[in-house]
Amino acid sequence: MKQVYAAILAFSLTPFGAMAQEDEGSSLMEEGAKLFFRGLMEEMEPALRELDRLGEEIEPAIRSFAEEMGPALRDLMTKVEDWSAYEAPEILPNGDILMRRKQDAPPLEDLRSPEEGEIDI
């Protein structure tokens, strides 16, 4: 009879013991994740500081570029309807930039030939 009581007691306590282990396991998992991400942040911190410093250094150049090229780029954006019809820009040795149309691009409507020496944008 004692064996039956012991078996019933062991059987009834098993789910509670398993639940306690699951709670402890999930808190261990949470703690492990916290430690992992804390270590990751510590490793990333110098790189992020360097990236921030680099951003501060190039900000004046980007601001100047936007002020000087902004109007021209806005004008170009209004003239090009489908950017997927063009190859990636190519920079020539003399600094000129070419944007070639793809061979399979659909023909342009209202395309006129530029006059001698004229550049059509």
Side-chain angles (χ1 to χ4, degrees):
M1 192 66 157
K2 289 183 182 180
Q3 293 174 345
V4 173
Y5 288 120
I8 292 172
L9 180 63
F11 183 76
S12 64
L13 292 177
T14 302
F16 299 109
M19 286 175 45
Q21 286 179 347
E22 286 178 14
D23 289 343
E24 185 178 314
S26 64
S27 68
L28 286 176
M29 291 292 289
E30 289 173 13
E31 189 63 30
K34 287 177 187 176
L35 289 172
F36 171 75
F37 286 115
R38 187 177 304 136
L40 187 62
M41 289 297 292
E42 288 173 4
E43 289 290 323
M44 295 283 298
E45 189 175 1
L48 292 173
R49 265 194 255 119
E50 179 67 21
L51 184 62
D52 190 39
R53 187 190 62 75
L54 181 63
E56 290 173 3
E57 282 182 15
I58 64 172
E59 181 184 5
I62 291 174
R63 194 174 302 277
S64 174
F65 176 80
E67 289 171 359
E68 292 176 23
M69 295 301 294
L73 290 173
R74 266 192 302 276
D75 186 42
L76 181 62
M77 295 296 287
T78 62
K79 292 183 179 186
V80 177
E81 292 179 14
D82 181 13
W83 287 97
S84 67
Y86 292 87
E87 300 288 345
E90 176 184 343
I91 301 175
L92 301 179
N94 67 357
D96 288 351
I97 300 173
L98 294 180
M99 291 180 55
R100 301 179 194 275
R101 281 186 61 79
K102 293 180 179 176
Q103 294 285 335
D104 60 346
L108 293 173
E109 311 255 338
D110 301 329
L111 182 65
R112 67 173 184 84
S113 299
E115 300 297 325
E116 184 73 25
E118 177 186 357
I119 299 176
D120 187 29
I121 295 179

